[in-house]
């Protein structure tokens, strides 16, 4: 999974906070890929990614992040656009891992924002 240096550092920090090693994350990505690939096509399509993105957004909303209706509606397409590197309309395991990494970073960012607002 690719990440810029700052994003990579933030991701590693998020994993530490979660008490998860990089190896455990990779194993969970592989398990998650198999579970998400409901049609067993070998790739995750937008319709298969949608429930995962929804779960991440729900977790962020519980933390206090708000989303507009258009943000909610475009979230899956936005994630697909960001991580579907070969633009085939499906995510392979690596691309799915990148999507999961985005989810971890989004939740970590929401938690940090909530923590900062409490201390302000």
């Amino acid at each position: 999974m690719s990440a810029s240096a700052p994003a990579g550092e933030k991701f590693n920090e998020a994993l530490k906070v979660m008490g998860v090693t990089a190896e455990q994350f990779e194993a969970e990505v592989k398990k998650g890929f198999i579970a998400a690939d409901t049609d067993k096509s070998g790739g995750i399509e937008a319709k298969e990614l949608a429930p995962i993105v929804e779960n991440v957004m729900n977790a962020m909303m519980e933390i206090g992040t708000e989303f507009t209706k258009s943000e909610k509606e475009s979230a899956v397409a936005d994630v697909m656009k960001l991580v579907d590197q070969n633009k085939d309309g499906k995510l392979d395991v690596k691309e799915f891992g990148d999507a999961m990494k985005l989810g971890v970073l989004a939740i970590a960012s929401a938690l940090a924002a909530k923590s900062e607002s409490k201390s302000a």
Side-chain angles (χ1 to χ4, degrees), residues 12-27:
N12 289 334
E13 289 173 21
L15 287 182
K16 284 181 187 175
V17 168
M18 294 168 44
V20 176
T21 67
E23 293 79 18
Q24 290 169 321
F25 177 80
E26 293 293 329

Side-chain angles (χ1 to χ4, degrees), residues 17-81:
V17 168
M18 294 168 44
V20 176
T21 67
E23 293 79 18
Q24 290 169 321
F25 177 80
E26 293 293 329
E28 289 302 315
V29 164
K30 289 175 185 171
K31 283 192 239 176
F33 181 87
I34 292 167
D37 184 17
T38 57
D39 65 4
K40 305 303 176 208
S41 66
I44 306 299
E45 298 164 9
K47 67 182 179 192
E48 295 168 314
L49 185 63
I52 297 166
V53 171
E54 184 178 343
N55 286 341
V56 169
M57 293 179 85
N58 287 340
M60 292 175 68
M61 289 183 334
E62 286 180 22
I63 296 166
T65 304
E66 295 189 22
F67 296 99
T68 64
K69 183 178 179 183
S70 67
E71 287 173 327
K72 289 178 185 176
E73 291 171 352
S74 68
V76 174
D78 292 345
V79 171
M80 291 293 287
K81 188 186 301 183

